[in-house]
Amino acid sequence: IFQDTSNRSPIQQELLAASSKDDDFWLPGEPTASYNDEKNNHVPFPFIMTCLIVGASFSLDGYYHGVSVESFYMAFDEGDNNNGITIFDITDLTDVRYCFVDFYGMESKREVALMTPLSARIYLEAYYELDAANDEAGFLPLLESFQGRNLVNVKALKETWPTGDWHGDEFVQDVEGVHPQDPSRTESKDLAGNFQEYQIKSLRDQSMDNFLDVLLDPSQDTAALLAEAELLTDFVPRLRRRLYDQAGTLTPSTTLLNLLHKALSRDVEVDLSPFNMLPVEHLTTLVGKLRHGKMRSLNLSNMSHITESDLEAILEAGHVASTQIETTQTGPMITTKIQAPNSPDITSIILLETPNISLDFVAKHLGAYDVYHSGLFRRALQLSVQLSRSWWGDEPLTTLPFEGANIVSQLVWVMISSAQSCDSQLRTPDGHYDWSRMSYSNRIPRRFDRDKDLQYKNFLLDIPTPVGRTVQGLQRLIRYLSLVDLTWAADLPEAAARCLATTSTLGTAAGSSCGLGPLSAVLYNDNGQNFPRRPGTGIGQMLQ
């Protein structure tokens, strides 16, 4: 999940936000008020937390396990823990590192080194015999997938949790399959990178760098130079790389807008988040031009200066309605006028860490988009933290009134017993169910049973679910249910929440990758509340 290209941009936005936090941010709230303290209950990086939750609890091959969302400020050695912890280092998304750590002693057959990064093999060998003759649990194929994956080094652990008594070499990185005490271990990529040979740039490279320096000089008239540069096959990718590398030092200008348009016009996923120095007028102009290119996803994260009215103007810029065909006839002459659409249009908007954009605005104006908003991701998780710390599980969950065309606003779960299915009196003459003749119970039991009444439950969705994503999510849910023996009916809403969340439209493998969207707070934190509450209301009337 962390290395999936669909998730890379949202993760990078939260990593960028984390790098800007001051020292006070990383300190927990008052421990005496841990159950009510707003800071301790806050989920500061909800997209990364969603990745952790879905990755640890669910897979489409039939795996499911409940997880709890703990306080962000919980120490690494706090909580009820008898089998160690798993740590991921996502600083470099091209080299995601992991390790297991035992800090008190585990409930295992063999002891392992305490406060030391452990590989997957060493961790599993503490519990199981790992050889071809005794691999009843099937762990050997799993271990093969860890080959070549780097462990989190001790230096990183000491920097993250300085109060821990960490052991091991700070600078040498162990690769999976090599024991920490083995002198033949492989050096880390970080260490090896410090000794790379210096390569002298070719004359062409130096010339291109000098040329880009001139183009990025706001005092220069670069129109003629830009026309000549377009003849070079490698100009656009080099310009794009330079713009992103120097985003923090660039000065807004008409020249910069032209260069950004030239560099990004071929991008399907347009990331403008590094250019947060651009005024709203420039962003509006640039997005209006890019909408006539290949852009389908727009990233405006970490832009604290954008207001809701600004965002409306930006999204309206360059927008053309769907194709319209107008036919007129004058005497024998027929004239057809075709207004071409702006195709493809924006389908996804990333708005992480944009404090001026409220969830109410997202619900009212952005329902037709695949929206990545910190509040949407935080909503389900923060409620989960609060529910785990209190006893108010019977209060109804509020929903967000999303508006827009082609939006699915509710999911209805219906349980029909075999007796009802075979009862001819409950069928219409053409063989369909006659909903009006059925008796209803709108309280699905915790366990599946054979109730005489038709049982149903309605979940009002509190996340934007365009029809396309909903269909993909339901397809994944059907596939998942075909692989599991779901004894507990209460587990189905959480499974549905995860299936709907794994239908991201970001990335080149959208629809089949591990791309994540927000979890539905209603499904993820289902607390047994039923909608609607009118007694005797059947599913047919409810759907109307």
Side-chain angles (χ1 to χ4, degrees), residues 1-2 7 11 46-56 514 516:
I1 284 180
F2 286 116
N7 300 324
I11 292 175
F47 186 88
I48 292 175
M49 180 63 78
T50 302
C51 290
L52 279 172
I53 287 174
V54 176
C514 296
L516 294 183

Side-chain angles (χ1 to χ4, degrees), residues 87 138 155 179 215 238 247 255 344 372 395 449 502 506 509 541:
I87 298 174
K155 183 175 183 292
H179 195 278
L215 282 180
R238 283 175 177 264
T255 298
Y372 295 76
E395 293 187 13
D449 61 10
T502 56
L506 298 179
Q541 294 91 332

Side-chain angles (χ1 to χ4, degrees), residues 228-245:
E228 293 182 11
E230 292 175 359
L231 300 176
L232 302 175
T233 56
D234 60 344
F235 168 68
V236 171
R238 283 175 177 264
L239 172 62
R240 187 181 185 280
R241 191 180 311 121
R242 174 67 77 87
L243 288 170
Y244 278 102
D245 289 344

Side-chain angles (χ1 to χ4, degrees), residues 370-384:
D370 198 0
V371 183
Y372 295 76
H373 185 280
S374 296
L376 281 178
F377 284 93
R378 184 174 291 120
R379 181 177 166 84
L381 309 183
Q382 198 150 302
L383 178 61
S384 180

Side-chain angles (χ1 to χ4, degrees), residues 468-482:
R469 277 195 59 188
T470 305
V471 171
Q472 289 183 18
L474 293 179
Q475 287 175 336
R476 293 189 173 208
L477 181 60
I478 292 171
R479 173 188 167 188
Y480 169 79
L481 294 176
S482 70

